[in-house]
Amino acid sequence: EAGVAQSPRYKIIEKRQSVAFWCNPISGHATLYWYQQILGQGPKLLIQFQNNGVVDDSQLPKDRFSAERLKGVDSTLKIQPAKLEDSAVYLCASSLDRDYVLGELFFGEGSRLTVL
Amino acid sequence: QKEVEQNSGPLSVPEGAIASLNCTYSDRGSQSFFWYRQYSGKSPELIMFIYSNGDKEDGRFTAQLNKASQYVSLLIRDSQPSDSATYLCAVSPSSNTGKLIFGQGTTLQVKP
């Protein structure tokens, strides 16, 4: 079974530029998450989708970050304009069940962003 | 107060020893608790989950949960150098939307 696919793996941009990350979850997984992991910290949830609807985006900086999940499958996370503090690994994860007592998050390899 | 707290370490133990990793959480209504392992430069992978008070054993790993004290721990017996990694405690909050809240992680170093 194919895992969670993410691209690009690495991206270096100047501040105020824009960047987009793509994620394809495991087939059949209804729930998709984008987490931000800053070096030395644990992952922080940015946005959670259930199919193509948003369940939680309370910690998404909406003035610069946007995300969409077209047709309830793959997803794109965009940052525009980027700030230095956005340097982090952006992890996409998916799960089979919305009821997390039963579910498990499967993470992709992550997209490492460096903002100069 | 952070929602999920862990000592960042590093925790250093000799090979063959027991490593004890601890985690506290603030949401008393949390139902499910997870331990993820993250090797340097890699993504987190689930190693244990627990949602009942008491102990749960899986091979060399034992998860312990005390909801009254809002405390979760992970014991690793017969620690191996390959166990050297960052261990992330994660909690499913009472809102039960499926998201996980992660602690900052504890770095474990197992020395040969």
Side-chain angles (χ1 to χ4, degrees), chain A residues 45-102:
Chain A
L45 180 70
L46 293 176
I47 190 166
Q48 176 188 352
F49 293 96
Q50 172 78 7
N51 295 309
N52 59 353
V54 175
V55 176
D56 187 332
D57 63 356
S58 57
Q59 296 196 85
L60 186 72
K62 298 180 184 64
D63 57 335
R64 299 183 301 105
F65 285 66
S66 65
E68 60 182 5
R69 188 179 185 195
L70 299 175
K71 299 179 182 178
V73 182
D74 55 354
S75 175
T76 302
L77 176 70
K78 296 180 181 178
I79 307 174
Q80 181 178 15
K83 292 186 175 181
L84 297 177
E85 59 261 36
D86 298 332
S87 294
V89 176
Y90 291 86
L91 294 164
C92 180
S94 68
S95 67
L96 188 57
D97 295 300
R98 185 172 182 269
D99 180 353
Y100 203 78
V101 173
L102 302 176

Side-chain angles (χ1 to χ4, degrees), chain B residues 33-102:
Chain B
F33 307 87
F34 304 81
W35 285 99
Y36 280 78
R37 177 176 62 201
Q38 186 173 29
Y39 291 112
S40 181
K42 300 295 186 181
S43 57
E45 56 177 338
L46 180 68
I47 53 173
M48 290 282 294
F49 68 89
I50 186 168
Y51 38 82
S52 299
N53 275 328
D55 295 359
K56 179 181 179 183
E57 187 174 318
D58 183 1
R60 295 187 296 111
F61 299 95
T62 299
Q64 299 175 316
L65 173 61
N66 184 326
K67 289 186 178 180
S69 300
Q70 296 175 241
Y71 177 90
V72 192
S73 66
L74 178 70
L75 300 178
I76 306 174
R77 289 182 300 282
D78 188 25
S79 296
Q80 301 297 309
S82 59
D83 295 326
S84 297
T86 295
Y87 290 80
L88 297 163
C89 174
V91 174
S92 179
S94 54
S95 57
N96 197 27
T97 58
K99 74 178 183 182
L100 293 186
I101 299 173
F102 286 84

